Amino acid sequence: MSFKPASNSGNGNSDGPSIDYNAINTQVKGGSRPARVSLIVDLGKQEREDFTEDYAEKSSKHIKAMGNGTGRIENEDGKDVIYITQKPVDQIAVFADLTSDVVDYGENLGKQPYRIVLNKSYQGKLHGIPFNGCYSFDKNGQILKDKGFTFHNTSVLTKLAKATKQDQIVSGSGDDNMDISQLLGKPFMATVDKQVRNDNTYINYKGCSEVPLVPSDPTDPDSDEVPLGVKKLKLEPMCITFDDVTEENAKFIRGDIRKAIKLALNYEGSKMQEVLEASSNSKPEKPKADEPEEQYEEPSQEIGDDRDDDSLPY
């Protein structure tokens, strides 16, 4: 089943055991780690914060925003800053399993590859990945028609498509364009930042790259190069959308993701609401784990361990 944007043409309780994430995080290695895309979750249509940057009087973008009423200018610390209202947009969450970092989650989960979320966060709030396309423009503001309509070149999805060598997803045309289901199970190298502060260990996703080439015979430096072997996933990768969510696959939606989903503009009356609320009502509340909380200073930093205390890793 494909999973594309809707238009590509122009209570938070988990159902799983409590988990001590600080103890889990100490078992993960930092640096460039072998990984595979394991889970993609539809977050629905979400409101977005205003876009802001220093105001430039001659900027065509700023002139347009001020002309159509979506922009406003405020003076901050002696300089003009423009705020531009952004329309709500479909968003997703993407996870990858660090296949060589097998950790012991304890209780009935046991030993599993560490599952890391590729979304950004700020002050404990997960930021959805925009699930929409755009055209590329030249310096004069004209559409580059040869680039086609696809994900923005700075999107996590574009970077992941290139790192997994799934260029058809960002080709700008054709049936495969923007079909992110084709990322599932694909290998890449995840850059993982591991930090220890105040006796707590934090794991953050920092980016992705292609699986490197290594000698086919380690004892012979002149042997042919082959891609580094990346272990297979232990569980079947999956996409969970508002349309195909079930009680069975909803078990893989952890607490902080459920909270984000419930803020979606299209949550009320959806199948997702029906399934999530049914599962929440049918399970007793679990005791909360002793999990470290992190407050990030920069919005550009990635989410680490600021999920709900009772969140599921799987």
Side-chain angles (χ1 to χ4, degrees):
M1 170 182 171
S2 66
F3 184 23
K4 302 181 182 182
S7 173
N8 63 346
S9 55
N11 87 34
N13 294 340
S14 75
D15 299 329
S18 61
I19 295 171
D20 183 353
Y21 279 97
N22 191 51
I24 297 300
N25 291 348
T26 61
Q27 303 173 54
V28 180
K29 297 178 182 177
S32 185
R33 306 300 300 155
R36 290 183 184 270
V37 180
S38 55
L39 177 64
I40 300 172
V41 182
D42 185 358
L43 301 181
K45 188 174 292 293
Q46 299 277 344
E47 296 277 12
R48 292 189 289 173
E49 295 179 355
D50 291 346
F51 172 81
T52 181
E53 63 182 0
D54 290 346
Y55 175 65
E57 187 176 0
K58 295 183 179 180
S59 167
S60 59
K61 178 172 65 176
H62 296 179
I63 293 172
K64 179 180 179 181
M66 295 304 296
N68 61 22
T70 61
R72 71 181 191 280
I73 300 172
E74 296 184 6
N75 188 276
E76 298 179 359
D77 298 325
K79 64 180 180 181
D80 288 337
V81 176
I82 189 169
Y83 288 82
I84 302 176
T85 301
Q86 299 191 90
K87 294 179 180 179
V89 67
D90 291 328
Q91 296 181 2
I92 60 172
V94 180
F95 294 82
D97 287 4
L98 306 182
T99 55
S100 293
D101 290 82
V102 177
V103 299
D104 189 354
Y105 283 104
E107 298 194 26
N108 62 340
L109 286 177
K111 294 185 177 181
Q112 301 284 349
Y114 187 88
R115 179 159 289 182
I116 191 167
V117 64
L118 310 191
N119 295 54
K120 295 179 181 179
S121 75
Y122 181 54
Q123 294 185 338
K125 179 182 177 181
L126 179 135
H127 287 192
I129 297 171
F131 193 42
N132 62 344
C134 64
Y135 288 105
S136 296
F137 297 84
D138 62 20
K139 61 181 180 180
N140 297 318
Q142 300 300 310
I143 293 176
L144 297 173
K145 294 183 178 180
D146 61 320
K147 296 293 185 180
F149 186 89
T150 192
F151 302 121
H152 194 279
N153 59 8
T154 63
S155 168
V156 171
L157 300 174
T158 298
K159 295 176 181 178
L160 200 55
K162 293 180 177 180
T164 57
K165 299 183 178 180
Q166 301 301 306
D167 293 329
Q168 73 278 6
I169 296 173
V170 290
S171 63
S173 63
D175 291 340
D176 295 327
N177 184 44
M178 303 178 77
D179 180 5
I180 60 172
S181 68
Q182 297 182 38
L183 292 171
L184 291 173
K186 298 300 188 295
F188 68 99
M189 302 301 291
T191 303
V192 178
D193 179 50
K194 179 179 182 179
Q195 295 187 27
V196 179
R197 292 189 295 278
N198 299 324
D199 297 325
N200 288 325
T201 302
Y202 302 98
I203 301 296
N204 294 286
Y205 172 78
K206 290 296 183 181
C208 58
S209 59
E210 292 184 14
V211 173
L213 297 176
V214 296
S216 56
D217 182 355
T219 65
D220 181 4
D222 295 325
S223 62
D224 293 337
E225 290 186 320
V226 296
L228 176 73
V230 177
K231 295 177 181 178
K232 299 294 184 181
L233 293 171
K234 295 187 70 173
L235 298 174
E236 280 293 317
M238 68 179 73
C239 283
I240 304 175
T241 75
F242 266 51
D243 294 327
D244 67 11
V245 63
T246 65
E247 290 186 15
E248 186 60 31
N249 62 26
K251 296 176 182 177
F252 293 88
I253 305 177
R254 69 190 203 187
D256 57 342
I257 303 300
R258 291 181 180 225
K259 275 190 173 181
I261 289 173
K262 291 178 180 181
L263 296 176
L265 299 178
N266 57 331
Y267 178 71
E268 193 74 27
S270 67
K271 183 179 180 183
M272 182 70 80
Q273 180 188 31
E274 177 185 345
V275 171
L276 292 191
E277 294 188 1
S279 64
S280 296
N281 293 334
S282 64
K283 298 290 183 179
E285 184 174 348
K286 298 292 182 178
K288 293 186 176 182
D290 182 16
E291 180 186 359
E293 293 288 335
E294 179 69 305
Q295 297 296 319
Y296 295 105
E297 298 179 357
E298 298 294 334
S300 60
Q301 285 192 280
E302 308 290 348
I303 190 167
D305 302 303
D306 40 17
R307 72 197 92 178
D308 283 356
D309 287 340
D310 58 353
S311 296
L312 274 170
Y314 286 90

